[in-house]
Amino acid sequence: MSARYVIDPAPQATLAVAGSDQLFPVRRIWCVGRNYVEHIREMGQDEREPPFFFAKPADAVVPDGATVPYPPLTKDMHHEVELVVALKGGGRNIRTEDALSLVYGYAVGIDLTRRDLQIASRKIQRPWEIGKAFDASAPCGALKPVSEIGHPSKGRITLACNGTLRQDGDLEQMIWNVPEVISKLSEMVALAPGDIIMTGTPAGVAATVAGDTLECAVEGVGTLTVKIGAPLA
């Protein structure tokens, strides 16, 4: 530890890079709310509004194959499978036509949500963090670099729980596509290398409990499997 730090700095959060021993350092996690029409309908919200964003801490990332402890304070944790975008560049007010040049790669992720706490906060117009930004709430698979897979704009996105398919959509169902999401977010904050964006979930979100195995896939991008473990003592 450097003598300049009064406590040990936190370890750097990272994502694996598929097919290599390289790591992608995670700076921030941004999430897009309600970006698939069928999910908006199942949540009872309007279908065409400007994209909105919320954040999770970088250390909410957990890798493929991990066990995620069931979090405290909730009896209704939901799974939301998502395409994850990892940025190698950034800036403010990024033009849509320039946005994809800033992407390093893509992965499969799950936005785990304490739905009961999220809804309770929303009803009294308080921030969502208690429902979204908890420990181990952002499982992510290995990144596939753009140099290998290009920029997927369509392809099946799925999540199965204990072998039963629950979420089954297509990337082309996104209301706001990846370059639009990057552009809109950059109007609000300065993006930077290491930022990752979880781009919204298709319909079929549902509760998950201790003992469940969640298996996710995005066609042409990769897979992600995590197990929901018992609550921490």
Side-chain angles (χ1 to χ4, degrees), residues 124-147:
I124 57 175
Q125 299 183 330
R126 289 183 178 174
W128 284 9
E129 275 83 355
I130 194 67
K132 289 284 191 177
F134 54 93
D135 298 337
S137 62
C140 284
L143 284 169
K144 289 285 185 69
V146 168
S147 59

Side-chain angles (χ1 to χ4, degrees), residues 55-79:
K56 292 175 181 275
D59 64 3
V61 166
V62 292
D64 184 28
T67 295
V68 177
Y70 196 88
L73 304 179
T74 184
K75 296 181 179 179
D76 193 28
M77 183 172 74
H78 282 205
H79 55 69

Side-chain angles (χ1 to χ4, degrees), residues 178-209:
V178 170
E180 290 172 333
V181 164
I182 294 171
S183 179
K184 287 293 185 181
L185 181 55
S186 75
E187 294 174 2
M188 304 174 190
V189 295
L191 297 175
D195 288 347
I196 67 172
I197 305 171
M198 304 183 81
T199 56
T201 193
V205 301
T208 182
V209 298

Side-chain angles (χ1 to χ4, degrees), residues 1-8:
M1 182 183 74
S2 168
R4 297 183 63 190
Y5 293 111
V6 298
I7 60 173
D8 290 335

